[in-house]
Amino acid sequence: FQSFQNVGEEKNFVFLSKKIEPSSVLETAPLFDGLKKELSWNKFSGPAFTESYCWPPVAQGYDVVVISHQGKDPFLYIPPVLTLLQLESDYQTLPNMGGVSLILCPGWKKAQLVFDLLKTYRKRCPRLHPMLIILGQNKEAASQVEIRGCEVVVTTPYNLLRLLEHNTWLLCRLCHLVLDEIEVLFSDTAEKVFAVLDCYKKATAQAQGNLPHQIIAVGTQWNKHITPLMKEFMNDPYIVITVIEEAAIFGNVQQVVQPCMNSSRTAELLKILDFTQRTLQKVLVCTDSVTEVEMIHKALKSNSIVSLKKHKESKCNTKCVLERWRKMHTSGTPAVLVVGDDCLQPLGITDATCVIHFSFPSPGVFRQRLQCMTDNFCPGVKDSAVDQERTKAKSVVLLTEKTSCHAPEILHYLKHAEAEIPEELSDSAARVLESEENEKFSRPLCASLKTFGICRNRTACPDRHQINLSTDMALNIADEMIETPDRVTILPLLIVHATNYFGRIVKKQKDQYTVLAKEMNDYFKVPEHRISVKIVEKTVLYGLCEEAIWHRVQVVETPAKDEDVCEVTIKYIDEGRTSQVNSDQLLHLPAEFQSLPPQAVEIIVCRVKPIDNEVEWNPKVTDHINHKIKGKLHHAKVVHTLGKTVWVDPMVGVTNLAILKLWINEYNIRSEILSTGFGTDNPEHIAEIQKLCRPVPVLNHGENLEHFAKEDTAGLEEVSNPQDPLIQENSAESCSTSAVPPSDNLAKPQCFSALENTPLNELSCSCHPQIKWFQDNETVTLMIQILRAADSKWEFSKEKVVFSAYSEGRLYVADLELYQSIIAEKSTCVIKDREAVILLVKEKKGAWCKLLKNKNVHVSLDFEHWEESEDEKPFTVG
């Protein structure tokens, strides 16, 4: 294995399994001339760095694995694969039909993107006939698919396996298999991918003639399943990795996290160096400050450890340090270099065998430090006893109580590298993530969480995943809009996707918006009433005519420049959609038309989600539902409400037979989605929404149920059966549909007497303060981090401490169950400007091994006040 890199620019790092001559210029790239002309015509700026290394082996038909930050870009493989398709001689052994190139994508959206990209090159590539195969679960759809000629098939693992049930011969013609976003394929659908690979392996073994066979795997991260992919299904593949930390995983770099106190880092470092000194390793001790470099160097010198030092203020130049670094090791002396992070790049060291992270690194610094060991990356299959000999390089992170905000990123990488994770790092990362989640408090509630009850990647998701009462409950659906949750009439007007709409709840008796709309139309019929607006202001309501219908609109965005006529973004407050119009189209809206609250509500159909673990609905389903329901009346059962959002189950399309005073049920939206084959059951949805909102008060509209039933159910009973067809749509629907109990039936939390008068909704959305603790022989001190606490309350019992206070408008509550007993009447609490200090008197003198019975990530040991005796065991954090 060989490693090449340009250490002057980290982005130009590359790790190769075999030598490759890169093609960095389009004119000399291994692509056919027609494609080069097309790319040049489109002003293609590449090949990019990774493309320059992976295109040559792909274009020559070799098996290739590519891991890069650009691993999601289909251009890593499309141009060289198209080049291969033009080599007709390879397919002469296929009479009357060509070979098949198959691109497996992680989901329908990526498959669509790849397919659209392939279509743009059909003019220059006569042998290119791309075909997108996205099938539902309906078996007849798979049986109707026909593949003729030399095709490029783009699909997903789930869809391919459905297709293979009816077209097993497809893999016999398969020449080029591309695994797009390999880390996603293996993390989400590993079993499906290996099932496809097994079928492919059997098919190629039975294939007649000398067909070319090639597997290309591209992605952004290394995955443990890539190793069996290479061993069992690839033929001596070329491996191209341009991400340092992923190369470290492939190179079996041992990742170690060593917890210690900040004050004892030097002692821990000496223990580690004691081992490395005996094995003649080349060790870098990396830190982020000049002071620490000097301090470490002095400590090593006082412990008779010969070491070098280099920081930005060092008198010794880079060349001198490098020469001494090399001489130390060749002379049989263990090489130790204490170095500041800002000197790593100028030094360009790549032959270290161990890097000790004395200061906790950011992700960028972590990559720089790992790069110092690239000469000792040892690729190979991990194999218990042999593995210890192969793993030459080691990375040791010193984890202290002052771990930085980068803990989640480093934790994520260490988990990815399958390193042993200490509890302290998980706790630190959890605190940082909670803090980041709190910073999202002003963001909208996550759409995926609302629509499906789950968000797949909360860390990367920009939106919040907890209830914000001031936002979510600020514009509640008016009580009169929902006469009874068991039956509301809904008019969907904007279809976001298959299960998410905006529209209005229509009242049976004298609908207020219907009255308002008529009054507005009558008012604006008079030309003198159409008063243009000279200055358009944000958040102000205006009138707008659209296709002879007048709407109430609110300006949500205006251009930065002041112009007489400008384009502004508006929201139709009674429909939920947004649009852009010229400011001169907006008219003054009289106050009497502004008194009715905005009528648009968000509607979410429950208990159905996309098949194949997709995170978005296939456009086919959304288009079908849009055509089916937009602008038509529906009856629905409300199972939950939050602000201006209603969750419904079921939602049924209806037709009103006014003469007979009957409503006819035409279709059920959930059943309609399931019938497309692209939707599946989501039984946890309602429970997850209730869990998210618990115990936010739920609107109770049941008091009007009797009136509604008398008014409208008689006709329904005559049409179908004595039972309500909306609720008893079928046995399967009825079994899994559950109504939300009214707010007065919600379980009240076990509150202590000091908080009995605190509103329930405030308790439910309270925050837990950060707490540090320390002890002496007789007392335990808790320091609760809370700024300018107001309305503070506390209560002590024998084995429990409860504290609450407001800070900057938010309620903070700590309910702590103690590991041992205290004397409650002697314990005290003092409120200071930046913290609350609680002094607990122990019932029995002596050291506590921990504070709480159950672990709490918000509670940690205060190392600054802890002086451990020699015979004393360390305390457990929390």
Side-chain angles (χ1 to χ4, degrees), residues 196 406 408 698 703 718:
V196 170
H406 300 296
V698 180
E703 56 196 39
E718 291 176 23

Side-chain angles (χ1 to χ4, degrees), residues 128-181:
L128 175 60
H129 304 287
M131 183 175 188
L132 177 66
I133 299 178
I134 302 295
L135 305 169
Q137 292 179 323
N138 298 337
K139 293 183 177 181
E140 57 272 17
S143 62
Q144 294 171 3
V145 174
E146 293 185 7
I147 300 175
R148 295 180 180 176
C150 181
E151 305 283 4
V152 178
V153 176
V154 186
T155 187
T156 70
Y158 285 97
N159 286 289
L160 178 60
L161 290 174
R162 291 187 196 111
L163 182 63
L164 291 178
E165 292 179 9
H166 301 274
N167 298 279
T168 53
W169 48 266
L170 171 64
L171 295 183
C172 297
R173 296 171 49 201
L174 184 57
C175 296
H176 311 285
L177 172 61
V178 179
L179 303 176
D180 189 297
E181 293 189 45

Side-chain angles (χ1 to χ4, degrees), residues 263-304:
S263 58
S264 64
R265 280 186 300 166
T266 305
E268 197 64 45
L269 172 64
L270 292 172
K271 292 179 187 177
I272 298 168
L273 289 177
D274 182 52
F275 171 77
T276 59
Q277 295 280 296
R278 295 196 299 268
T279 55
L280 293 180
Q281 294 198 34
K282 303 174 77 172
V283 182
L284 285 183
V285 182
C286 301
T287 188
D288 57 6
S289 74
V290 172
T291 304
E292 285 191 341
V293 171
E294 291 290 348
M295 181 268 292
I296 297 167
H297 182 67
K298 188 179 294 184
L300 297 182
K301 186 176 181 180
S302 65
N303 283 270
S304 303

Side-chain angles (χ1 to χ4, degrees), residues 191-261:
E191 185 180 342
K192 304 292 182 184
V193 173
F194 279 117
V196 170
L197 290 168
D198 285 332
C199 293
Y200 176 49
K201 191 174 183 178
K202 293 175 184 176
T204 53
Q206 298 171 1
Q208 296 180 353
N210 188 24
L211 285 176
H213 291 114
Q214 180 185 38
I215 298 179
I216 305 160
V218 299
T220 60
Q221 289 184 335
W222 188 261
N223 184 284
K224 63 182 180 181
H225 295 300
I226 298 178
T227 301
L229 167 68
M230 294 191 303
K231 278 187 65 180
E232 299 174 27
F233 302 99
M234 287 182 156
N235 180 22
D236 193 19
Y238 279 78
I239 300 169
V240 179
I241 304 178
T242 59
V243 185
I244 295 170
E245 58 269 38
E246 301 305 319
I249 295 175
F250 173 63
N252 288 329
V253 174
Q254 184 182 359
Q255 299 288 349
V256 178
V257 182
Q258 186 61 50
C260 64
M261 289 185 298

